[in-house]
Every structure is written in C-alpha cells, then in structure tokens.
Amino acid sequence: MADRLDEYSEDFCRFFWDFRVPFDNNQAERDVRHAKVKIKVSGCFRSLEGAKEFAKINSVLSTARKHGIAVIDTIMATLAQASCIPWALASE
C-alpha cells in the first residue's frame, strides 16, 4: 500500500485542492444515504408504498443533480407535467 501511495501521491489527496473531486468515489452510498437518514429520523417508512414513492422522488432529484440540472427546475417541470401523466391522474 505504501508503494501505491508513493506512486499516486498527487492523486491521493486531490480533493484537498480540487473541490470538483469528491472525497470518495462511492456515489451509490451517497444515493442511499438520504433514505437511511429518513429512517433514522422518523424511525421507519409507514408503508411500502411510501418508501417506493420516496425512492422515486430521490432517484429523479439525484439524477437531475448528476446532470447539472437545478433541483427546483426539475420539481417545477415535474409538477407542470403532472396533469399530463396518466398515473398522476389515477392517484388523485
């Protein structure tokens, strides 16, 4: 490990001076963290359906962030199109 750290010393702590580089490369763990925090704060999801809806919303917002789209723009676009989506009308 010491040889590897020596060989890649410039890249090892790049996140210290280049703030575009994340502290870790575990995007999947960061995506799951929101649900885990929600469970810790409220104790649990009240239903499986609620957990599924939370996961859908979280997935859409996470994808928007990854593509550089503002979260508020994503929410507004989704709400504007909700009346055109058949399953949105069925849940009303």
Side-chain angles (χ1 to χ4, degrees), residues 60-61 71-85 88:
V60 169
L61 296 181
V71 171
I72 190 67
D73 293 339
T74 304
I75 293 170
M76 296 302 290
T78 303
L79 292 175
Q81 295 175 6
S83 62
C84 301
I85 301 171

Side-chain angles (χ1 to χ4, degrees), residues 3 9-10 19 24 28-29 44 48 50 58 65 70-71 75 90-92:
D3 290 338
S9 61
E10 285 186 29
F19 298 116
D24 63 0
E29 190 274 337
C44 65
L48 181 59
N58 216 15
R65 274 188 227 107
V71 171
I75 293 170
S91 64
E92 293 179 354

Side-chain angles (χ1 to χ4, degrees), residues 2-3 10 13 15 17 21 24 31 33 35 39 45 47-49 54 62-63 69 72-73 82-83 85 92:
D3 290 338
E10 285 186 29
C13 293
F15 62 90
W17 59 83
V21 177
D24 63 0
D31 287 342
R33 190 176 300 145
I39 290 170
F45 286 101
S47 68
L48 181 59
E49 192 62 34
F54 181 84
S62 177
T63 302
I69 302 169
I72 190 67
D73 293 339
S83 62
I85 301 171
E92 293 179 354

Side-chain angles (χ1 to χ4, degrees), residues 2-18:
D3 290 338
R4 191 141 174 94
L5 289 175
D6 188 42
E7 185 179 343
Y8 295 101
S9 61
E10 285 186 29
D11 295 328
F12 180 65
C13 293
R14 185 174 303 273
F15 62 90
F16 280 130
W17 59 83
D18 187 352

